[in-house]
Structures are given as C-alpha cells and as structure tokens.
Amino acid sequence: QVQLVESGGGLVQAGGSLRLSCAASGRAFSSYVMAWFRQAPGKEREFVGRINWHGDGTYYADSMKGRFTISRDNAKDTVYLQMNRLEPEDTAVYYCAARMGWNGSKYDYWGQGTQVTVSS
C-alpha cells in the first residue's frame, strides 16, 4: 500500500509558475513509477506525464511538453510537478498516481488531488 498526498496548488495569474508536490508513505517509494494527471471541471481526467523509478526517464503528453517538468526525490519519497507559463486552461485538480510498471493503463494508487486555478 502507498498513500499519496498532493500539495502546492493554489491561485496563480496567467504566465506564472507553480510547483506541486506529492508525498508518498508506505511501501518503498522507489519501487513505483509516478505520474501526474489533471481533471478540469466538466472534462475527463487527462494524463500529464510520468517518471521512472530512478528519476532519469520521463514521458509527457504532447500538450504538456515544454511547460511541465516532473522530477522526484527518492530520499524524500516525493515527486514534483513544475508548471511554468501557466494558462487559464491549466485550471484543474491535479492528481499524482503510482504503479509498479512503466507501461500499462492502470495506476494502483491515487492521491486526493490539489486544486490549481489560473486567472487571466
């Protein structure tokens, strides 16, 4: 079992930056591939990107490339999402998720989410 808790969300003006954190507890954090998703009001959940066990490999949705960066610190059991040049369309609840394997569609553990609101 892994428990995930996101933090760092808030209100930011368009063009600004935020860094989200996801702290994990439970089983060995470095055993998990970590991912970020987001869900805007009235829309389906959207994949943002994922990072491998050691933090030296990432994969992003095409629409997220260039502005969003995922990193992790296994010593702190934490994964981060750095978001730059934010746009109102980035307004959503952001979730982190964990699974054992790099490929696949299912994530086994989810956080409760953190709200990000970008004002124009």
Side-chain angles (χ1 to χ4, degrees):
Q1 283 277 1
V2 175
Q3 292 79 43
L4 304 173
V5 178
E6 301 95 337
S7 62
L11 175 64
V12 62
Q13 287 189 330
S17 299
L18 274 178
R19 188 178 80 156
L20 306 183
S21 300
C22 172
S25 61
R27 295 185 61 184
F29 177 69
S30 59
S31 300
Y32 293 92
V33 171
M34 300 300 298
W36 286 94
F37 290 79
R38 69 183 186 183
Q39 188 165 19
K43 295 187 177 181
E44 294 188 354
R45 187 169 59 198
E46 179 181 25
F47 172 75
V48 173
R50 64 180 184 264
I51 188 166
N52 70 3
W53 310 265
H54 305 296
D56 56 0
T58 53
Y59 175 82
Y60 298 93
D62 287 342
S63 60
M64 310 296 174
K65 291 178 182 177
R67 295 191 301 122
F68 290 5
T69 303
I70 298 174
S71 62
R72 69 190 293 164
D73 185 341
N74 286 347
K76 295 183 178 180
D77 292 348
T78 302
V79 62
Y80 304 97
L81 176 63
Q82 177 68 45
M83 304 185 292
N84 299 325
R85 303 193 305 279
L86 284 163
E87 304 166 353
E89 293 73 24
D90 296 317
T91 294
V93 178
Y94 284 72
Y95 300 90
C96 66
R99 71 182 183 202
M100 300 292 282
W102 179 247
N103 292 309
S105 59
K106 181 179 178 292
Y107 284 82
D108 298 310
Y109 304 101
W110 293 83
Q112 83 291 348
T114 186
Q115 175 71 47
V116 172
T117 303
V118 184
S119 63
S120 57

